[in-house]
Amino acid sequence: LLTSSVLSFSSVAYGDTSKVNQSFEATKAELNRSTTHYVYPALENKLVTSQSLYSSLNSAKKNYQQTRNMINSSTYSSSQKQSYLRDLDALYNEKVSKGLVPYIDAYNYATKYLDPIMKNIKSAQSRNDFAAVEKEYHKLSYQLKGRTAILYRFSGKAARDLLLEQYKKPADAKRSELMIPVTIYMEIVKIKDFLNTGKLEEAQASYNEINALLSSLPSATSNPFIAALFEEVAKVKNAIDNTANPIQQEILNSKIANLVTTLNAAQSNIATIESTGLNAITVAVKADGKPEDIANYLGVDLFNNVVSQLGVTHVNGFTPLSPEGLAYIKAQVPGADSLDDVKGKTVSLPLTVNNGVP
């Protein structure tokens, strides 16, 4: 037993060319299987995790190196050794260096860089956190512009296409989706800085940049993030207008106060309204009100009074009581079939008001 043990570590054992050949063939078979660990599952639309591949990678590396050592220590001639080593090295380079290793690197990159950024963007959008969205957008752009080449470096088209489909394409789409909203938000930040430093002309120039982009935004009807962005745009527009002509806002403030007083005096048994911010009112419906009275108040009386008392000339460019204007307003509260559907909702309407002064 002792002799056998000693011989198994001696050069004589390596010199047994039959054993070298067996090791060579076994290692070749293992190396050939290296790419199948991730390619075959991809053919069934399954993306293999990098963690599950490390044992295969470590085994391939270990046996490859052991076989190389056996060849170098064998009794083969120098030319035979070189021939074996060339074949073994070429196969290792093809299957491991250009296959298994870069696949693992690509998968790790996608899951450790792209995926967390995408999750952060989704979370920030759900909170309407524009600053966080901008920050993550720039991170995503950096990755997509300079680092995603790693996703293309491994062999195995099925796995490569699946990895791109699950990580690269959604990231590209998200960057395209956010390009204009982020640009608008960045201009909003600039406008606030300009107004704080008394640079009205620069603020107006930034708003002009925003205004040119608004038509390229997706519909805000079913997109709360875009709806919130429109609200931010409206706020900076009001801030610019108020800075440019504060008397206009004073007139409008007075009109809103009169509207609140008039409606509350006449119909407080159905609902009450109050001014709750710049150019904003909040409606509180009485819990014991008749549904038909409340529907008439919200659908007819409230808006008619807003139009007449504030001097509204246009709603998003439409005549207020025209079919187009009413359709636009209705579209701001989609699927509202009951009071519960509008409870707590904020509706922002771009109104043009005639204050009777230049």
Side-chain angles (χ1 to χ4, degrees):
L1 289 176
L2 179 60
T3 303
S4 176
S5 177
V6 171
L7 287 176
S8 67
F9 288 96
S10 69
S11 62
V12 176
Y14 281 144
D16 186 342
T17 56
S18 65
K19 289 184 178 180
V20 173
N21 191 58
Q22 288 173 6
S23 178
F24 178 76
E25 294 299 328
T27 301
K28 281 179 59 179
E30 182 176 15
L31 294 178
N32 274 313
R33 290 194 300 271
S34 296
T35 54
T36 67
H37 297 309
Y38 62 86
V39 171
Y40 286 177
L43 295 173
E44 299 178 356
N45 209 39
K46 297 176 183 177
L47 206 55
V48 176
T49 67
S50 58
Q51 193 62 37
S52 65
L53 295 174
Y54 283 120
S55 59
S56 298
L57 174 61
N58 291 336
S59 175
K61 285 183 174 180
K62 176 184 176 182
N63 291 328
Y64 161 72
Q65 192 57 53
Q66 285 184 344
T67 301
R68 286 190 103 260
N69 292 341
M70 290 182 71
I71 293 171
N72 283 323
S73 301
S74 71
T75 57
Y76 282 128
S77 67
S78 176
S79 61
Q80 287 176 312
K81 289 179 182 180
Q82 291 303 314
S83 177
Y84 273 106
L85 291 174
R86 276 196 304 270
D87 289 348
L88 191 65
D89 291 346
L91 190 59
Y92 183 88
N93 185 56
E94 176 189 352
K95 300 297 184 178
V96 178
S97 298
K98 295 183 179 180
L100 188 56
V101 169
Y103 172 83
I104 290 174
D105 290 342
Y107 183 89
N108 286 341
Y109 169 77
T111 55
K112 294 180 180 179
Y113 288 90
L114 292 183
D115 194 46
I117 293 174
M118 293 289 283
K119 288 177 178 176
N120 290 341
I121 289 175
K122 182 179 180 180
S123 176
Q125 283 189 280
S126 71
R127 305 189 308 272
N128 295 329
D129 187 341
F130 299 105
V133 169
E134 182 201 353
K135 178 181 178 182
E136 296 300 322
Y137 167 81
H138 290 307
K139 287 183 181 179
L140 184 63
S141 294
Y142 169 75
Q143 294 297 332
L144 293 175
K145 287 178 181 177
R147 302 194 63 195
T148 53
I150 193 173
L151 300 175
Y152 298 86
R153 291 173 181 163
F154 62 91
S155 59
K157 185 177 184 302
R160 189 167 58 250
D161 288 348
L162 189 58
L163 193 67
L164 294 172
E165 187 70 30
Q166 292 190 14
Y167 292 98
K168 176 71 160 49
K169 288 185 180 179
D172 284 334
K174 181 59 68 173
R175 180 178 62 173
S176 297
E177 172 194 325
L178 290 177
M179 188 178 299
I180 291 177
V182 167
T183 301
I184 289 175
Y185 171 71
M186 292 170 66
E187 292 297 330
I188 288 173
V189 173
K190 288 167 62 177
I191 288 173
K192 292 178 180 179
D193 289 341
F194 286 143
L195 292 178
N196 287 336
T197 54
K199 298 179 180 179
L200 180 59
E201 186 176 342
E202 289 86 346
Q204 184 61 58
S206 280
Y207 181 77
N208 292 341
E209 295 289 336
I210 291 175
N211 200 41
L213 295 172
L214 292 179
S215 61
S216 299
L217 287 173
S219 172
T221 302
S222 58
N223 191 326
F225 178 73
I226 297 300
L229 183 62
F230 271 112
E231 291 179 15
E232 294 299 311
V233 171
K235 288 177 184 177
V236 293
K237 179 63 167 66
N238 284 335
I240 291 172
D241 291 343
N242 294 342
T243 303
N245 194 352
I247 193 172
Q248 289 280 356
Q249 186 62 47
E250 292 174 11
I251 294 171
L252 185 55
N253 290 344
S254 177
K255 286 182 175 183
I256 293 174
N258 289 335
L259 171 70
V260 170
T261 301
T262 301
L263 275 177
N264 285 344
Q267 295 180 292
S268 60
N269 61 312
I270 301 173
T272 58
I273 66 172
E274 63 173 324
S275 177
T276 52
L278 184 66
N279 301 338
I281 59 172
T282 296
V283 180
V285 175
K286 298 292 185 181
D288 57 354
K290 295 180 180 180
E292 59 269 23
D293 291 339
I294 295 173
N296 187 68
Y297 177 89
L298 294 175
V300 180
D301 294 343
L302 177 62
F303 184 65
N304 284 344
N305 275 276
V306 168
V307 171
S308 61
Q309 293 196 45
L310 300 188
V312 176
T313 60
H314 293 88
V315 180
N316 197 41
F318 302 113
T319 303
L321 300 178
S322 67
E324 295 84 1
L326 295 175
Y328 172 79
I329 294 168
K330 184 178 180 181
Q332 305 315 298
V333 193
D337 298 320
S338 68
L339 289 176
D340 287 338
D341 294 330
V342 296
K343 184 177 180 181
K345 296 288 186 181
T346 297
V347 179
S348 298
L349 300 176
L351 306 179
T352 301
V353 177
N354 182 2
N355 278 340
V357 295

